[in-house]
Structure formats: structure tokens, C-alpha cells
Amino acid sequence: MSIPEVDVLVIGAGVVGAALIRELSRYELDLLLVEKEVDVSFGTSKANSGIVHSGVHDRPGTLKAQLAVRGCQLFPELAAQLGFLYKQNGAVVVARSREELAELEKLAVNGRANGVKGLSLLNQEELRRLEPNLSPELVGGLLAPSGGIVVPFDLVFALTENAVSNGAKLMVNTEVQAINPEQGGFFVRTNQGGIRAKFIVNAAGLGGSEVAAMLGDDSIQLYARKGEEYLFDRKLEGLVHRTVFPLPSQVSKGILVIPTVEGNIMIGPTAQRVETPDLSTSLAGWQEIYGEARRLVPTLQPNDLITAFSGLRAVGTTGDFMIAPSTLSPRFINAAGIESPGLTAAPAIAEYIVELLKESGLGLRRKQNFNPIRSVVRLRDLDFQAQAELMQKDAAYGQIVCRCEMVSAGEIRDAVRRGATTLDGIKLRTRSGMVRCQGGFCTPKIIRLLSEELGLPPEQISKNGPGSELLLGRLRAVQEEGRKEEQLHA
Amino acid sequence: MPKTKAVDLVVVGAGPAGMAAAVAAAEAGVEKIILLERQAELGGILPQCIHNGFGLRYFKEELTGPEYAHRFVQELKKHPGLKVKTETMVVTITPDRKVVTTSATEGLVCYQAGAVILAMGCRERPRGAINIPGTRPAGIYTAGSLQYLMNIEGFLPGRSAVILGSGDIGLIMARRLTLEGVRVKAVLELMPYSNGLNRNIVQCLEDFQIPLYLSHTVTEIFGEKRVEKVRVAPVDKDFKPIAEKGFDLSCDTLVLSVGLIPENELSLQIGVELDPATGGPVVDSFYQTTVEGIFACGNVALVHDLVDDVSTESALAGRAAAAYLKGEIKTKRWLPVKAGRNIRSIVPQRIVVGQTTPLYIRARYPERNATLHVGDGQTKQQVVSPGETIYYTLKPEDIRTADGWVEVSLEGGRVHD
């Protein structure tokens, strides 16, 4: 097998890598995106809060401020082109006391300095009118109408799918092991073989430090800051309309009450530095989040809880994003320390890195046939007429697999063709197994559909990659039956 | 709206409740009946319940789940006007009884029904709903979905298991896993008593020497890709785990049997009133909900202990729907039930005056030698347990109409520990 030779190798298929590969796919380039996990978005981006930040929080003059405000502006058009789940619902930062009102005003000044449009301070009555379910103890708010919400993994899927349809290559299960500079670029060794690349972008999230070190670049120092999130049933839809922030602390934007695009309510995240990165949730995390969220929305009840999860932010040492060519090679760009507002900024980070690549000598010629549109079928979003037409074309869209979210077998098969190879991959692409019953009814059906589409025995179907297989094997009686049949045929 | 077909009765769900209701309605003379089922098989949960213990009350003999279902499937076939639609999912039901369905074979279809019987059953409470801290690896199953994977699909989940929850499905699965060679380390129960039937504790745990830890729960799940172990701790009187008494059990599978939730998303869509005590629709003596012409029966109304009770109740609902279609049920005077001492729930919640009404009553906590009072009627209850239904047939003379309600309470009992 010949070694792939590409113009740009992007390491890491989180939201930054995905936004970048999509931006680069506008140009006549050989592109490769590699991801060590079994699927794109399976790292930090999967557990993102899904907020498109207005940019009020970030310190003026930082990359964070510049790229968040720009990113936020890019979202509406991007969503229209790529069809991911996004809503410009606005954000409101609330004050709990008279003293905090002064802080709100400072935040408004900060936001305006960053170029955030439409900010307005709300008194108690105005706040109550906009969000009647907020605690009566809250005395005022800062409304940022440009803020939005997005389904983070859907964003990553949309970006990568569009890039791939525009000619970029994607390799999952591909872990970079060594990077050696050579004439005109790099030779990269991975667990799937070698790759030659003229330029490399390190968008490896928490692995960014390790990847930079493979080149000998020790300037990227990162640590993991864990965030737990708790998701509530969609029957709470409308509890709040805007994303509700308390005033920020030193390390984070605080515990938020987030209305998700799909109508659920999510609360979180915590912000806890961890030495051993794992994705567990904790009783302490729940108590902190629930306590804080109840100070914002007192009617929130634990019995409406559906699930909990956690993610790890890759936090740098500079307090800002670290996006620059390595001092060791202008052809190697680090995009590291992309913590909040990284998801918001991602489309702007992509533009920014394209400029850096250009400065480093990457030739950019626009593709004539670049197609910015990506479309995906969501049965539940269609009217009866459109549903009926779809079912006429393919009966599998009439066969419902997930009763909670009305996901059809057609959409599950479609998700496999879009790149899902695991139960979690299906869940994140279709929502089947994500809500009320948490997969109680649909799991056996999805295992079967994955097995058929991938041509693998059901025992090899996993939750999220090797080691997470769902079934050990067949029952003894079924095994014996199989043996008898084999003997008969022999 | 898609093309509309007029029918007399639509029954949503062909589990034990829907089948019994449809058969009873057909026997009572209803002609055009559509019985809708989202699975490929009829019987709801029954086909995967390959153990015995069904039918003792209804058929006066012991049957397995598939056998029990088969009897009703045979009955369905006797009525040519009763059409069964499998692999068909209900998308919407309107208060004026339009039922929109989808299937691979027919696409979208809308039925305009004279009456609707809701018989969607219940679903299992998942891990998230009980908020167990820890990682999110593969190997965590609710008991019912594991039962499906084993008994219908023929798969083995793992080598060793811990079961959280001693409801009947949890107990049955402890035995089932053991018989397939999976080591069941323990069954854990948060409450100081099991919610399962006593016969299941004996036949599924004691006979196989599987330890049952009462007043214990899982406090953390470990394992990155696959479950590796769980941390278990006893709980105090307020169900708070006593962390310092915690211990670890290694296992690759965690089975959750932590409660059943009536599946009422469609009921909410129609706008029927739900009872917070049961999680199901408020129904009257005829199992009619608060929306006229919409009936509800079986586990969608109340999670029952025994399928036999589901059949009995649902047959009653089926006959009532038939009577409604003939115009025999006019708006009648009813009285609400009122839960008194040690009563968690009562179904039906509305007693039609002059109507003999079988009641399904659930207690809040265990006690001995109590007297059940229902209006003016009373019976002795030697052992009361929240896990076992209390039956009482309410007669018209038990009702004191002047009260404006029917009070149900357990009095004079002794709480045992």
C-alpha cells in the first residue's frame, strides 16, 4: 500500500479539526483528518455544553475574545448551509444581589469592547418578563441576543461530512505516534501506517502537548479540567428560553441553565482540574450543579433527570488559545488550549489557521465546485406530506426504531453510511438511545442494524470502540444449535 | 393529515392489556377494530418472559409468558373484523380520536376512531434517572432489555453481574443469568424490603444462593470501556449511602431493575389528566380517561404485579369501550377516591356511582394486621407490602355519597421492621 501524501494533515477530529478541514476543503488541496478514537467528536467536543457564546466574557485583546465574537457571527450562515441543530436563543447573565449589578455593568462594558452587538441591561421586572421561571431573588440581568445554542457533536459531524463530500479524507482509529521533519514537510508514523504531509495542524485537544512533543516542541503545556453536565427530560421545554449564566468566577463561566436545541434542559458544567483524566461523574458534582442551578431556577426537580455525563477541557497555561506555528517549524501549526469559548470560536479559528498556513507558504486556490451544503434527513422534523413522500421512496423511513424520538430504520442506516460504527455513533447522529428510555427499547434493534450494515457479527458491535463490546457471545443453547446446523451441512 | 380511515375502535399496544381489551370489545359486538403494535410480535413483554408463573388467577393454571400470550393471539384470530397491525408505530393521537400511524409496509395512515383504548404499557427507569455516579462504560443494562437480548435474540451479556433492584424482573433475571453460567454476585435493594413477589425471592434467589442485600445501593460505577466493578454501600433511614461501610464487587455487567414508568407520552399529547401517584391516566370505573372516548388499561394506567390482573382489567375496559360506542355509557355521577393512611395509589381514581368497581390499591410501607377501609366497607389485611397489590371490590353500598369522595385507608396496623 502506498503511503498517503497530503498537503495538510489535521490531527484530531474534534470541533477545531473539523471546522478547519471543512474550511480547507474550499481549496484545491489534498487533505487528511486523522482521529485516534473510533469516531469523530468522541473526545472533548462530545461533552461540550453546546453554547454559542456572544463573547461578553472574554478579556478584550485576547484571541479568545476576537475569535469568539467572529465565530458567533459565523454560526447562523454555517447552520443554514450545514443543517446542524442550532438556535440563536440569546443568553442572559444574571445578578443575585445589588453588589452583583455593578459586576453586570462591568461585563457589559467588557462585551462592548469585544464588539458584541445588542447588549442590554435588564432590571428585575424586565428579567422576570423574559424568563418568568427564574428565581425571584435575582435582581437584574445582562441580555446578549447574539448568543446561541448548538448540538456540539452534530456540528462536528456536519463539518466533517461536508469536508469529506468536498474531497477531504478522514481516518478514524488512527493514532499519531511519531512526527519526523523531512524535505518539504513531515513523515508521520501512525498505528495505521505512515503519512507524508507538507503541513500539519495539531488540533489534538488534550493530546496536543504530546503531539507537539513528537516534533520536539515542548512549548505546549496542557491540563485537563473536568466538567460534569446533567440532562433533564424534554417535558421541561420552555422552563427557560435563553441560556442563563450566573456571574463568572475566576476559572469558569459558572454553572449554567441551558435550554438545548432539542428542548431538554441541561445544567452544568463543573470546572475541576484533574490529574488523572477520566469521564466519571460524581455525587459532589451533582450536588454542586444542582444546588447552583436551583438558585437560578428553583422549580427544577431531580426526578426529571435523564442522564449525566462529563467531559475534559484542554486548558493551556497562557489563559488564552495557543494558536501559532511551532517555533521549530512554520509548517507545523499548534491549535492548543482550546477551552471555552472554543466551540463558538471554532469556525473563526479555522479561518485564522488558514491564514497562518498561507503565511507559512501553503498555496491556496479556490475549488470551482466546492459545495457548502450538507443535508440530512430527520423524520420528526418533517410534516406528514414530506414524511409520506420519504416513506414512498424508502420504506425503511416508515419503520420506527426509537420510540422516544421517532427515529426510523432509514435514519439509522443513513447514520452508518455517514460514518457511525458504534452504538454511541448512532446515538449522537440520530438521538436514538439518547433520551427518556436511554436505549432500553432500541439497543437490540440498533445492534442488529449496525451488524447488518457493517457486515459484522453482533458480538463485535461496541458502545464506543474496541473493549466496549456490548455482548459476550451467544447463549449455550444457541451455540449448540449453530454447531448442529454446521454438522448437518457438513 | 394523511388519508383517513373510519373505524370503531383503535387499541394502542398489543401486549396483554391491548389484546384482552380488543378481544373483549370484539366479543361485545364491536365490528371494526384496529389493534396497533410497534414490535413484530404480539404479546408485549410476554414473549421474552419464558419463565412460568403466569395465568394462575386468570386461567387457573400455570403458564409461561409465551403460552399466556398465545391464548390471546388465538382469541384475536376468531374475530374477522379485528385487524392487527404489527411493526406499526403511533405518531399522534388527537383528542377527537384521530390516530396517525407509520409503518414500513403502509407508510403513514390515519384512523378516525369512535373510541380509543390506550394500552402502551410501561418502560424501565434507566440509570440516569437514578443518577448513579461513575463512568459510562458498556455493560449496563436494564433488566427488561437484557431479558430481550437473552431470551429473544439469544445473546449472553457478560461473565459476572450485579443486579440493582429486587423488583420481579430483577429477581427473574438473577435466576436466568445464573442458569446461563453468568455469576450473579448480588442483588441489591435500596429499600429495607423487596418490591418483588415473595415466591420470586424464594425461587430465583434463595434456591440459587444469590445474596440479597436490603438497604444497599450502588454508589459508583467503575470501568472505562466495559464495567469493571461497582461500589456498594448500605443506606441509612433517609436512603443516604454510608460511604465508610462501602465495598466493591467486581463484575462486567450491571443490571438495573429500578422501577417501571407507565409510558404516557401519547396520553399527554391527547391531554388526558395523569395521576402523580400511578404515573398513569386518571380513569373511572369504566377505565375511561378524563377525555371522552379515550380509555386506558393495563400497565399504562398502573404498573401491575400480575399479568392476570392486566387481562381482567383490560377486558373490563374493552367491554366498556363497546358500551360507549353503543351509547350505553352516558355521563354519570362519579366520586373521586381519596388516599388515606398508608395508601400510595388507588385505581380507578373515579368511582361511578352505582357501579361495582374492582380496586387495585398499593400501600406506602409494610405493616401487619391492618384493616382496609373503603368508604363503609372494610377487610382485614394480615400482611401489607408495597410490593403486592391489595384487591378490593367496591360495592355500591360501600359508598357514602354525602361525603363527596370515597376514602381508602389502612388502619390499626403494626409497622414491622
Side-chain angles (χ1 to χ4, degrees), chain A residues 281 403 448 470 472-473 476, chain B residues 38 134 141 153 156 179 263:
Chain A
T281 54
R403 55 174 80 168
R448 187 182 289 220
L470 295 152
L472 184 71
R476 282 179 298 196
Chain B
R38 53 196 159 197
Y141 292 98
E153 305 258 322
L156 196 63
L179 291 173
E263 198 153 58

Side-chain angles (χ1 to χ4, degrees), chain B residues 116-194:
Chain B
V116 172
I117 298 178
L118 304 174
M120 291 87 76
C122 55
R123 65 164 178 267
E124 299 179 281
R125 196 183 294 278
R127 173 211 178 162
I130 53 167
N131 205 2
I132 308 173
T135 53
R136 304 178 57 71
I140 304 171
Y141 292 98
T142 53
S145 54
L146 181 57
Q147 192 180 42
Y148 182 90
L149 278 168
M150 291 180 74
N151 295 350
I152 303 291
E153 305 258 322
F155 290 110
L156 196 63
R159 293 187 174 82
S160 57
V162 167
I163 298 177
L164 175 60
S166 65
D168 290 311
I169 319 173
L171 300 175
I172 299 278
M173 286 313 290
R175 176 175 63 184
R176 184 77 186 103
L177 285 162
T178 306
L179 291 173
E180 286 297 339
V182 180
R183 199 164 157 228
V184 179
K185 299 276 183 82
V187 175
L188 312 170
E189 173 57 57
L190 181 71
M191 306 302 284
Y193 49 85
S194 164

Side-chain angles (χ1 to χ4, degrees), chain A residues 315-388:
Chain A
V315 183
T317 44
T318 63
D320 201 359
F321 297 151
M322 299 183 283
I323 310 172
S326 168
T327 49
L328 297 179
S329 166
R331 289 169 174 266
F332 186 98
I333 316 279
N334 285 308
I338 313 293
E339 54 164 329
S340 180
L343 186 92
T344 306
I349 292 174
E351 290 179 342
Y352 186 81
I353 295 173
V354 171
E355 283 305 308
L356 293 179
L357 286 166
K358 198 166 140 192
E359 284 165 23
S360 295
L362 176 67
L364 294 175
R365 193 157 50 85
R366 282 197 175 269
K367 228 175 244 171
Q368 289 305 310
N369 56 352
F370 173 74
N371 177 10
I373 307 298
R374 167 263 200 186
S375 62
V376 60
V377 170
R378 283 190 201 95
L379 190 66
R380 65 180 174 277
D381 293 347
L382 303 176
D383 61 23
F384 284 138
Q385 176 81 27
Q387 285 180 348

Side-chain angles (χ1 to χ4, degrees), chain A residues 155-212:
Chain A
L155 170 63
V156 178
F157 294 140
L159 289 163
T160 45
E161 284 169 27
N162 186 238
V164 167
S165 74
N166 282 301
K169 296 274 185 300
L170 166 69
M171 286 170 68
V172 292
N173 290 316
T174 304
E175 184 162 16
V176 172
Q177 293 166 334
I179 300 171
N180 298 306
E182 57 177 26
Q183 188 61 38
F186 306 89
F187 180 79
V188 178
R189 190 161 53 79
T190 78
N191 60 336
Q192 306 276 2
I195 299 163
R196 288 210 144 79
K198 293 181 183 138
F199 293 82
I200 291 178
V201 178
N202 169 15
L206 270 173
S209 166
E210 209 181 320
V211 168

